[in-house]
Amino acid sequence: MGDSQISALMSPAVWRIVDAAGTVHHSHLTAAQADAFLPLMLAAGHFAGIRSERMDAPAIAENTATPPIAAAMMAEAAISKAMMDIEPGAERSALIDALAAHKRASECVDRAADVVRRAKEMHEARQHEVDVLTAARENDIRAGAANLVDALKSGTAVFRSDRPIDSRALLDAETRRDAAREAVDMLDAEHQAADVAHKKAESAVRLAIMAVKRYAVRGMVERLKDIKREYSALAATVEAAKYSDVPATPEASAALQSPAYSGEATTSAAGRWRRYTELLRDNPALELEDVE
């Protein structure tokens, strides 16, 4: 089973990128590929409300998605481009920096969300104040109308029977309500900006984790090359022994067979990679060998 199959086991290609209108720009992406694409499209600024979501989410516009193979190739190109900022050998440092930035972004978006919540509560309180004063004013209007009706029926001087209605308190309350609503809009915009920054920080963490894992795999590949060279030389020596009065044995024949690995072993290794991915967030110095 190859690297692409292992990746499929670890992260199924069930994600897509859509905009606020529901137009699908890319589909059949893994979570990592979607996270690599998203900050690049956000930075371009040409797509309103761009986001990633699972493909089983309902679409609200015509599907204009890129074909799966092309999308995967484009995603890999985007990932490789995004990783160019990470210097070879500095993957762990990049991950530490990305995790620190992610923590700051998380705190920022949490604070922004809390401020928006309190602003909405204030707006609701001021709206309630307006509602109470509006009801009182309407009662005053109805009472004034009743007095006016009585005056007109009895022939009393109309102007002397009119009750003055003071709307200044209501106008002040409406002004405070409108100010609170404007504050909510301003804080909402700040929260959205913080949320975008948080998503970019999350993408940076995922990219850094991918860089750490790819660096680890490069080391494993070099190790495999050395093992294969050693195996080839040793296998040739054992095979050639039969030409030097050393009879072949069943053990030798079995040892000369190419090594194989089972699907179960690959599935187990994929699970180990998945756990490693999760644990790197808490311990960026962790090595794959330390993961059971």
Side-chain angles (χ1 to χ4, degrees), residues 89-249:
E91 292 84 1
R92 301 275 178 178
S93 297
L95 177 55
I96 291 171
D97 292 343
L99 287 169
H102 183 270
K103 182 180 179 182
R104 292 193 297 270
S106 296
E107 293 170 349
C108 183
V109 77
D110 287 344
R111 284 196 302 270
D114 182 63
V115 173
V116 169
R117 177 187 59 77
R118 289 189 282 115
K120 288 181 177 178
E121 289 175 353
M122 178 175 289
H123 175 259
E124 289 173 1
R126 292 187 172 178
Q127 180 62 56
H128 177 70
E129 181 185 14
V130 169
D131 293 341
V132 170
L133 290 172
T134 299
R137 182 173 180 274
E138 290 173 351
N139 286 336
D140 286 345
I141 292 173
R142 282 193 292 270
N147 289 338
L148 184 58
V149 167
D150 290 342
L152 290 169
K153 287 181 177 180
S154 63
T156 307
V158 172
F159 293 110
R160 283 188 298 170
S161 65
D162 267 350
R163 290 182 55 188
I165 299 175
D166 190 353
S167 297
R168 288 175 298 179
L170 176 58
L171 290 174
D172 289 344
E174 287 177 337
T175 300
R176 289 193 296 271
R177 186 269 318 275
D178 293 344
R181 184 168 53 203
E182 182 69 21
V184 168
D185 291 342
M186 294 169 63
L187 291 168
D188 253 336
E190 291 184 8
H191 179 234
Q192 290 174 15
D195 189 54
V196 169
H198 179 256
K199 288 178 179 176
K200 289 182 178 180
E202 173 64 22
S203 295
V205 168
R206 294 196 179 209
L207 285 170
I209 288 176
M210 289 172 64
V212 168
K213 293 189 294 184
R214 292 187 180 201
Y215 179 81
V217 169
R218 285 198 296 271
M220 293 176 194
V221 169
E222 292 303 316
R223 204 170 140 207
L224 266 178
K225 289 180 181 178
D226 292 340
I227 292 172
K228 280 191 172 182
R229 281 192 291 267
E230 184 180 354
Y231 170 81
S232 296
L234 191 58
T237 302
V238 171
E239 177 70 20
K242 65 184 179 184
Y243 302 114
S244 187
D245 302 323
V246 178
T249 64

